[in-house]
């Protein structure tokens, strides 16, 4: 045998020993907590033994030695005293039913999988987040999954502390998250929105408005956008709508935050209009309803977000979506817009448009889509849909001018978004002519570089 053969055999022996050691460690830990951990499917007060090999592999996939070690810490600190079985399995995580027999509370233990590759596209939900700016080695599945679990825990804390119905976060150990278990009694989980049996059409409308109110409160109070909101990630619990699964939620400053918000709005509208067959609000108006910073100003000058009753009453004043072709076209244009949240997210080519007044900064920056024509300039979008905020502020300014004593009250506004259509065309044409004349006398770059080098030498 050659030396290469010996080294190959040695490597194989090392691999076998390593696997054996891992299996022994897992077995020892499971034996230690065998009387407290049940891995079978949890069906309320009963269990179903998992016999199917593929299903069993899915259940056990998250329980490596490190994970069992983190579960051991939860047992030691008294957070939970028993795991009764697996509630659900998914691509990213398994959820187990647990209890604390000392206080009688039920918990959901969410264990993220560390041996899968579904997190390859998850970096976009973390990159650009100020909270996770120092996160490193996102290509490492174990480190990425730990960041993902921490993100969900912190987002849940924001929702719960702000009074938005959501499961209470209890504890976090690396990629093992413990939260409140939403149950309707006897271990039976509260239904997801997609499985909830509505009493009548009025209740459907009520839950639709509740979801929109929660989206606004998430944005204004928690500074969060869900980024995956749908009927699958909401639960009807105690006659209220609870939001969960917020691991991918981002702050409004995230580069893709506005795109995620627009996607959430579309998902919600699609479910209630196509599945529940009710009239919904136009997407662009919902977008504006969520991001507009209007509020009640208290004696200290602090702006407070309105209560749920006020927010719901405001919704009743928004016109519902109709079959009008022009209105549907406006929503289609809104879906195609390039949305940015700050100047840092503007591309280099956008700055010229910003200087010319094509990008506004009332709330968040929004660049109109290339498909919009010159004739549509009066409908250019500023911060939400089609510069409706600008039009409203314009009308308010006009009213203020009429009521004031200034002599220049009839002078037209100098703001570019308020100028007349013909004046805008003339201004653009004049700018083009000026740029054309400037290019005629512009120095060639190569000549300029040579002159700069000569000046440095002297």
């Amino acid at each position: 045998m050659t030396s290469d053969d010996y080294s190959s055999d040695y490597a194989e022996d090392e691999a076998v020993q390593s696997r054996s050691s891992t299996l022994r460690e897992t077995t020892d830990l499971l034996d230690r907590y065998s009387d407290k951990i049940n891995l079978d499917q949890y069906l309320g007060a009963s269990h179903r033994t998992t016999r199917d090999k593929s299903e069993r592999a899915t259940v056990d996939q998250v329980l490596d030695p490190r994970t069992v070690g983190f579960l051991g810490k939860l047992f030691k600190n008294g957070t939970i005293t028993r795991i009764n079985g697996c509630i659900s399995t998914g691509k990213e995580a398994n959820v187990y039913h647990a209890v604390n027999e000392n206080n009688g509370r039920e918990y959901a233990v969410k264990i993220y999988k560390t041996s899968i590759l579904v997190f390859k596209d998850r970096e976009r939900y973390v990159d650009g987040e100020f909270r996770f700016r120092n996160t490193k080695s996102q290509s490492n599945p174990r480190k990425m999954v730990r960041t993902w679990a921490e993100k969900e825990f912190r987002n849940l804390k924001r929702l719960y502390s702000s009074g938005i119905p959501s499961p209470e976060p209890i504890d976090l150990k690396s990629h093992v998250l413990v939260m409140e278990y939403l149950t309707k009694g006897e271990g039976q989980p509260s239904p997801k929105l997609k499985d909830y049996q509505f009493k009548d059409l009025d209740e459907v409308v009520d839950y639709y408005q509740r979801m929109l109110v929660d989206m606004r409160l998430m944005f204004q109070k928690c500074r969060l956008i869900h980024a995956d909101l749908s009927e699958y990630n909401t639960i009807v619990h105690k006659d209220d709508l609870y939001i969960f699964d917020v691991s991918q939620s981002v702050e409004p400053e995230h580069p893709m935050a506005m795109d995620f918000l627009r996607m959430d709005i579309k998902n919600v509208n699609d479910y209630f209009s196509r599945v529940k067959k009710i009239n919904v609000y136009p997407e662009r108006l919902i977008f504006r309803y969520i991001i507009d910073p209007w509020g009640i100003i208290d004696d200290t000058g602090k702006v407070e977000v309105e209560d749920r009753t006020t927010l719901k009453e405001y919704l009743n004043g928004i016109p519902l979506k109709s079959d009008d072709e022009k209105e549907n076209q406006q929503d289609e244009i809104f879906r195609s817009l390039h949305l940015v949240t700050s100047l840092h997210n503007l591309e280099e080519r956008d700055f010229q448009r910003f200087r010319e007044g094509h990008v506004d900064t009332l709330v968040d920056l929004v660049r109109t889509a290339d498909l919009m024509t010159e004739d549509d300039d009066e409908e250019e979008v500023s911060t939400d849909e089609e510069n409706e905020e600008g039009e409203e502020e314009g009308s308010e300014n006009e009213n203020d001018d009429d009521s004031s004593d200034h002599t220049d009250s009839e002078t037209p506004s100098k703001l570019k978004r308020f100028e007349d259509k013909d004046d805008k065309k003339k201004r653009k044409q004049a700018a083009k002519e000026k740029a054309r004349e400037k290019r005629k006398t512009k120095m060639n770059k190569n000549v300029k570089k040579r002159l700069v080098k000569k000046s440095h030498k002297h």
Side-chain angles (χ1 to χ4, degrees), residues 33 37 63 66-76 80 83 109 111 173 176:
Y33 298 107
I37 299 178
L63 295 178
R66 293 180 71 256
T67 303
V68 177
F70 293 129
L71 288 176
K73 292 182 179 180
L74 294 173
F75 285 117
K76 289 179 181 178
I80 59 175
I83 293 180
V109 180
I111 306 176
K173 299 296 181 186
V176 180

Side-chain angles (χ1 to χ4, degrees), residues 191-200 203-204 207 236 271 276:
K192 292 182 180 179
L193 183 63
K194 71 179 183 67
D195 300 319
Y196 180 69
Q197 299 298 318
F198 292 95
K199 300 181 182 70
D200 50 35
E203 190 177 28
V204 177
Y207 274 88
V236 179
Y271 172 71
K276 296 305 176 183

Side-chain angles (χ1 to χ4, degrees), residues 17-275:
Q17 291 177 7
S18 176
R19 285 195 295 269
S20 299
S21 176
T22 302
L23 288 172
R24 282 196 302 272
E25 188 178 354
T26 304
T27 303
D28 293 342
L29 286 168
L30 288 175
D31 288 342
R32 190 184 309 170
Y33 298 107
S34 60
D35 60 328
K36 298 180 180 181
I37 299 178
N38 190 323
L39 301 180
D40 296 328
Q41 184 177 357
Y42 181 73
L43 300 172
S46 61
H47 301 82
R48 179 176 69 83
T49 302
T50 305
R51 292 189 174 88
D52 182 77
K53 288 185 178 181
S54 61
E55 186 178 350
R56 186 73 188 187
T58 304
V59 172
D60 294 342
Q61 190 175 13
V62 297
L63 295 178
D64 57 13
R66 293 180 71 256
T67 303
V68 177
F70 293 129
L71 288 176
K73 292 182 179 180
L74 294 173
F75 285 117
K76 289 179 181 178
N77 64 20
T79 303
I80 59 175
T81 59
R82 182 177 296 277
I83 293 180
N84 292 324
C86 185
I87 300 171
S88 65
T89 61
K91 294 184 299 181
E92 299 173 351
N94 290 356
V95 182
Y96 295 86
H97 179 272
V99 294
N100 186 318
E101 297 166 322
N102 298 323
N103 58 24
R105 294 190 63 181
E106 297 179 83
Y107 300 110
V109 180
K110 187 172 184 179
I111 306 176
Y112 285 91
K113 299 175 182 178
T114 58
S115 58
I116 50 176
L117 300 177
V118 297
F119 288 93
K120 287 194 298 184
D121 66 332
R122 296 306 187 184
E123 292 185 11
R124 64 176 183 158
Y125 294 95
V126 177
D127 289 342
E129 278 256 44
F130 181 79
R131 296 178 294 170
F132 301 96
R133 61 194 180 281
N134 295 324
T135 301
K136 298 179 180 179
S137 301
Q138 293 188 18
S139 58
N140 185 321
R142 287 192 178 277
K143 293 183 179 180
M144 185 62 189
V145 78
R146 187 167 60 245
T147 300
W148 201 247
E150 180 190 351
K151 197 168 188 284
E152 177 156 26
F153 183 75
R154 293 172 66 174
N155 288 343
L156 276 176
K157 286 184 69 174
R158 280 198 192 185
L159 265 63
Y160 188 79
S161 61
S162 299
I164 296 176
S166 57
E168 179 187 1
I170 305 298
D171 203 349
L172 175 68
K173 299 296 181 186
S174 185
H175 59 283
V176 180
L177 171 63
V178 182
M179 70 186 86
E180 176 188 5
Y181 182 59
L182 303 179
T183 174
K184 55 185 179 181
E186 298 182 355
Q188 297 296 329
S190 297
K192 292 182 180 179
L193 183 63
K194 71 179 183 67
D195 300 319
Y196 180 69
Q197 299 298 318
F198 292 95
K199 300 181 182 70
D200 50 35
L201 191 63
D202 290 339
E203 190 177 28
V204 177
V205 174
D206 179 55
Y207 274 88
Y208 173 56
Q209 292 185 334
R210 287 191 194 192
M211 186 172 283
L212 298 182
V213 169
D214 285 340
M215 291 172 70
R216 173 176 169 83
L217 291 176
M218 279 186 67
F219 187 93
Q220 299 292 342
K221 293 184 70 175
C222 305
R223 304 304 295 164
L224 284 177
I225 294 168
H226 192 283
D228 191 25
L229 189 62
S230 69
E231 65 274 19
Y232 296 92
N233 293 331
T234 47
I235 290 178
V236 179
H237 177 65
K238 295 182 178 180
D239 297 326
D240 208 345
L241 191 65
Y242 280 63
I243 295 175
F244 71 105
D245 196 5
V246 290
S247 54
Q248 71 291 319
S249 299
V250 299
E251 294 181 327
E253 292 74 25
H254 188 280
M256 295 184 64
M258 297 298 106
D259 294 305
F260 292 148
L261 177 58
R262 186 167 47 185
M263 178 182 65
D264 285 348
I265 295 171
K266 184 178 185 303
N267 290 343
V268 171
N269 267 9
D270 284 349
Y271 172 71
F272 281 98
S273 62
R274 296 178 184 177
V275 180

